[in-house]
Every structure is written in structure tokens, then in C-alpha cells.
Amino acid sequence: MIPSLLPTYNRVDLAFERGQGSWLVTDGGERYLDLGAGIAVNALGHAHPALVEVLAEQGAKLWHVSNLYKIPQQQALADQLVDLTFADTVFFTNSGTEACELAVKMARKYWSDKGEERARIIGFDGSFHGRSSAGIAAAGGEKLTAGFGPLLPGFTHLPFGDLDGLTNELAEGDVAAVIIEPVQGEGGIRPVPDDELKAIRAACDDAGALLIFDEVQCGMGRTGKLFAHEFSGVTPDIMMVAKGIGGGFPLGAVLATEDAASGMVAGTHGSTYGGNPLACAVGSKVTEIVADPAFLAEVSRKAGLFRQKLEGLVAEHPDVFEGVRGSGLMLGLKCKATNMDVLAKCYDANLLCVPAGDNVLRILPALTIEDEDISEALTRLETAAKAVEGQSA
Ligand SMILES: *Cc1c(COP(=O)(O)O)cnc(C)c1O
């Protein structure tokens, strides 16, 4: 008999009742150190006092009015994001995959308005853009798409890092946009090198194609910059944001230049919930805190500390781990043992990590993680690694 919850998830047998910072407490009162942060969502950890306050305050006033009316909280967050980034304009969604939907629509509308036959979108293997029809078509992986055809047409996929292939595709003249995660998340924490991002930008410019960055996972301070692409010095035309921006409240956004967004006039897109007062009040506070240069400098410092310790762990346990990869506090432990086996031992040590593709264990802690919790995390990873070694001995 089908369970009352549609069984699309392989859930771990754990349920949490409350959280504080980087710690979660089960319904049975057991404490877990959280290095997953709800898959890079709880950027400020659990129950951050400033977020609890703004949520309670806005919750007592007004939750939702619809986009029939002006929403000052939404306007304020859009102004913040425009001030802080390449973007001239912002649309708010409730999730990353909805941001993908709009990014694809925006790119196609741009060319349609110019009267050009350009609808094709180029993506890369190993990418993830969410589970909606545009999201799975844009990512293209068999695990995402099998059984869900006919897929949204007009998507082409290239191997990760295939710049020659990209140049060839762009030369066809029918490409509306290229979509890429500056740091692949689900695919296994694979950063795109800065010079590659630059080359992709240049290739798009040469061919006149738009460039979409998916910073749903790598954005909002995760890498130590507000957005990961800032390291490369290049900017996209359109950018998808979600996960961290709501700090745990469902919120996403599409940021765009004035030119890229030029086709999106009144009536072309909408969302009932998107950008409601409650979501934007929280998002505004998250953005204010995370965008502070002193906060971002702390993320980088902690990332350096964490990474150094992880390198030591890998060196001590060469049969379990192969290496460390990633950027800032978006870290991946490439495993030699099976990542799911290592993860099981992490759970045994009351430590939460997140699996990813390419046999990687993701480490995506709250950006506010304390130094002592980084040390504690290493102690527990050590315990897990020894347990894996014990198992195979
Ligand atoms: C999580 C994720 C998405 C999808 O976000 P949802 O909120 O789950 O729809 C899209 N792109 C990337 C890079 C992601 O990590």
C-alpha cells in the first residue's frame, strides 16, 4: 500500500524537534551537529535570533497579500539585491526550480521579442537546476529525466568544462542562453575554474547568447563572496537564487540586467506566493546580514580553517577519502569508500552531512558555524572514518 506521504524520498530515520545554530535536537532529545544546513538553506543556522525576531514581527502584521498590490518588503529586498549585484531588476519565486522556469522563459522571450529564431539553451553534464519540467530538461541527467518525457524541447548538454563543444554549439546561431552553476552542487561540489567562467562569458558575448548563472546553492555568501561568480570578475545576464536567501523560509529570485529582462513586461509572468511580505521580510534580514563584508570575511576565514582540517583528515584516512574540493563553506569530501557508507557512519557519530554525485560527501554548514563546532565536526568525521576502516578490515 502506498504510504500517506508520496514515497519520493529515501529518508533517514531521524526527526528533529528544534535547532540552535549548528545543532539539531531530535524528538528524543539527542543532539546532532548539522553540516548540511537543510541543503545549504539555513545560512544563518537554526533559530537565528534576528530571523526569529523579524519573522515574528512580520508574522503578527501581515503574511500575504498577492502581487495585485505593492509589497514594500519585496521592493526593499529587490533594491538591496540590485545594489549588491550586477542586476538591474529582480523577480521573486518560492524555490530554485521556479527561478529556473523564469530564467528559461526570460531568455527565450528576449530573442522572441527581437524576432530571432533562438530558443536553444545549453547546459552541462552533472548540473542540477531543480525538479520542474524546465529544471530537469536544463540539467538533462538520466536520473532526473527518465520516464518523464516528452521533455521540454530545446536543451543541449555538454560535458563539464567542454569549451570547444560550447564554441561549436554557439556557432549554430540558434542558442538563446547558456546555463551553468559556477560551483556544481548536487553534481559533487565541482567549482568551474575562474578562467573557464571567463571563457564562457566571452564565448556567449561573441555569439550574442545570454548567460544564466544558477547560484541557488553556491550563492548568498556560501563561498565567502555574496555570489560565487564574483571571484571570476565576470557577471551573468540572468541569475537564479534560492536556498540560502530565505534562511529556511521558502524564497527564490531571478536577478537580471535591464537588457536581458526587457521582454518581461506586465502579464508575461507571475506567482501567487512569490515575494510575499513574510518571505521578503526574512529574506531582507538574511541579505543584510550575509552581505556585510565583515560577515563574508568570517565565512572565508572559517572556510580556510575547515578546509585545512579536512585536508588533514583525508591525509590520515586515504582508504576512506580521496580529497577535498569546493569553495568557501561549500565543501566536498571526495570519497574512496562509498559515500553512503561514510554518511551512515557520520549519522552514527551524530553528524549530518549531505551526499552528492561523483561519490562526494557534501559539507554545507551554517555560515555562522563556530570554530569549536568545526573542531567537533572533525572529531566526528574522524570517528566515522575509523568506523568505515573498521568495517572493511
Ligand atoms: C537546489 C537547487 C535547485 C532547485 O531548488 P529547489 O528550491 O529545490 O527547487 C536549483 N539549482 C541548484 C544549483 C540547486 O542546488
Side-chain angles (χ1 to χ4, degrees):
M1 202 174 64
I2 194 164
S4 57
L5 276 173
L6 190 72
T8 61
Y9 299 109
N10 266 322
R11 293 177 200 270
V12 184
D13 188 18
L14 279 173
F16 298 103
E17 185 185 80
R18 60 204 145 83
Q20 192 77 57
S22 292
W23 292 87
L24 281 166
V25 183
T26 65
D27 42 10
E30 250 193 290
R31 277 160 56 82
Y32 281 74
L33 181 52
D34 181 10
L35 299 186
I39 318 184
V41 166
N42 303 103
L44 302 182
H46 301 283
H48 188 286
L51 297 191
V52 172
E53 187 188 333
V54 75
L55 184 80
E57 201 177 288
Q58 186 59 43
K61 281 198 278 195
L62 190 66
W63 296 14
H64 177 83
V65 291
S66 89
N67 288 297
L68 292 169
Y69 313 106
K70 290 189 175 175
I71 299 176
Q73 296 83 357
Q74 192 184 114
Q75 182 65 56
L77 180 51
D79 290 343
Q80 279 171 288
L81 292 169
V82 165
D83 272 354
L84 290 163
T85 68
F86 73 96
D88 302 310
T89 189
V90 184
F91 182 94
F92 291 103
T93 67
N94 312 288
S95 66
T97 207
E98 284 169 275
C100 184
E101 295 291 322
L102 173 56
V104 166
K105 282 177 71 176
M106 186 182 280
R108 288 181 168 169
K109 184 70 159 55
Y110 177 85
W111 293 110
S112 161
D113 281 9
K114 289 198 180 331
E116 287 199 36
E117 291 276 333
R118 279 181 180 249
R120 205 147 63 90
I121 312 263
I122 311 282
F124 291 90
D125 293 345
S127 61
F128 183 77
H129 303 298
R131 298 293 195 133
S132 62
S133 293
I136 63 173
E142 176 73 11
K143 264 176 70 183
L144 299 168
T145 58
F148 295 113
L151 298 179
L152 190 63
F155 290 85
T156 305
H157 303 95
L158 295 170
F160 184 81
D162 183 6
L163 290 174
D164 291 340
L166 180 65
T167 309
N168 290 338
E169 294 295 339
L170 287 167
E172 304 279 319
D174 63 343
V175 175
V178 173
I179 182 168
I180 187 166
E181 300 162 74
V183 184
Q184 275 192 357
E186 304 297 314
I189 311 290
R190 294 198 290 180
V192 180
D194 289 344
D195 55 348
E196 240 172 70
L197 276 188
K198 282 185 198 157
I200 291 168
R201 175 75 267 183
C204 285
D205 288 343
D206 287 346
L210 297 174
L211 179 57
I212 303 168
F213 284 163
D214 180 347
E215 292 229 17
V216 168
Q217 192 162 152
C218 61
M220 291 310 292
R222 176 77 22 211
T223 62
K225 296 276 189 196
L226 185 57
F227 291 103
H229 69 262
E230 293 171 27
F231 286 105
S232 70
V234 301
T235 57
D237 302 291
I238 300 170
M239 179 166 72
M240 299 150 55
V241 178
K243 291 202 165 92
I245 192 172
F249 199 95
L251 178 64
V254 174
L255 281 63
T257 63
E258 182 169 10
D259 185 42
S262 58
M264 303 307 295
V265 298
T268 54
H269 196 63
S271 165
T272 299
Y273 285 131
N276 85 5
L278 203 49
C280 287
V282 174
S284 230
K285 182 53 77 177
V286 172
T287 303
E288 179 195 316
I289 293 171
V290 171
D292 181 344
F295 181 93
L296 291 169
E298 265 297 280
V299 172
S300 296
R301 185 191 61 79
K302 286 175 203 173
L305 178 70
F306 213 144
R307 193 172 182 126
Q308 187 191 2
K309 287 177 186 279
L310 289 174
E311 300 280 5
L313 174 83
V314 168
E316 290 287 314
H317 301 279
D319 294 337
V320 182
F321 302 113
E322 259 180 51
V324 187
R325 47 165 86 157
S327 175
L329 287 175
M330 186 170 180
L331 292 162
L333 279 169
K334 167 81 173 163
C335 296
K336 189 169 264 174
T338 307
N339 63 347
M340 296 310 283
D341 290 344
V342 183
L343 181 60
K345 299 302 180 194
C346 289
Y347 290 142
D348 289 347
N350 286 32
L351 182 71
L352 305 178
C353 301
V354 184
D358 202 25
N359 203 29
V360 163
L361 203 58
R362 264 182 291 180
I363 296 178
L364 309 161
L367 305 181
T368 51
I369 189 168
E370 308 274 351
D371 288 8
E372 63 192 67
D373 291 338
I374 295 176
S375 298
E376 184 60 35
L378 262 295
T379 303
R380 293 179 188 218
L381 281 166
E382 190 78 49
T383 304
K386 284 183 181 151
V388 172
E389 285 160 355
Q391 197 173 40
S392 52

